[in-house]
Amino acid sequence: MKRKNSIVLMAAVLLSVTLCSLSLPQQQEKAKNLKVLPKDTSHEELERVMKEFKDALGVKCNFCHAPRKDDPKKLDFASDDNHHKKIARDMMRMTARLNKKYFKSHEAVAVTCYTCHHGSDEPLTGPEVVK
């Protein structure tokens, strides 16, 4: 009887420790290979920026991110193998320069990806022609 009680107590303690560890904040994976965004960009902020890119260009993550070499069904977010990633970085630098030069005192007016792309992967260069 004493042995059974100690097994139940040990199981209860183990369950409690496991449940407590699940409720602790988990360490977020630190972003790698950030060249334009600040190195201390949080995971949440990075996801918000990437969602803005996806919405502004009407694309999915694999438009800029290359597949992993060990598992092509997954993306290697740190890799620079996809040339669209370099272009995206250049566009980020360009919009930052434009905003700093022309809109530094106007927080509401700013150049973004959507300014030129309007949900298309290629910037729109003129009025769309309906066919």
Side-chain angles (χ1 to χ4, degrees):
M1 182 73 169
K2 205 174 195 184
R3 181 178 161 105
K4 187 175 182 182
N5 285 343
S6 50
I7 291 174
V8 170
L9 180 63
M10 292 279 278
V13 169
L14 183 60
L15 179 63
S16 296
V17 169
T18 303
L19 291 175
C20 287
S21 70
L22 292 175
S23 67
L24 292 174
Q26 301 298 314
Q27 177 103 11
Q28 291 285 343
E29 185 176 326
K30 188 170 165 72
K32 298 175 186 143
N33 199 20
L34 294 179
K35 294 184 178 175
V36 178
L37 294 171
K39 302 283 187 222
D40 63 347
T41 300
S42 72
H43 182 74
E44 293 78 19
E45 178 69 9
L46 185 60
E47 282 189 342
R48 186 188 63 74
V49 170
M50 294 299 117
K51 183 181 181 327
E52 287 175 7
F53 289 167
K54 287 177 13 181
D55 293 345
L57 278 67
V59 297
K60 294 187 178 181
C61 301
N62 64 352
F63 186 75
C64 292
H65 295 286
R68 286 176 34 179
K69 294 190 184 343
D70 63 338
D71 185 355
K73 292 180 181 177
K74 295 182 179 178
L75 296 175
D76 183 353
F77 294 106
S79 170
D80 288 330
D81 288 345
N82 186 329
H83 74 282
H84 286 123
K85 189 173 186 180
K86 180 189 180 312
I87 294 168
R89 286 178 174 144
D90 290 343
M91 296 293 106
M92 290 172 71
R93 290 181 186 104
M94 177 190 72
T95 57
R97 282 193 308 269
L98 288 169
N99 287 323
K100 183 177 181 182
K101 183 173 182 176
Y102 296 106
F103 301 107
K104 60 184 157 195
S105 63
H106 305 89
E107 289 183 28
V109 180
V111 176
T112 68
C113 302
Y114 192 80
T115 304
C116 299
H117 284 270
H118 296 283
S120 174
D121 62 345
E122 291 289 326
L124 301 176
T125 56
E128 290 187 59
V129 178
V130 179
K131 295 182 182 181

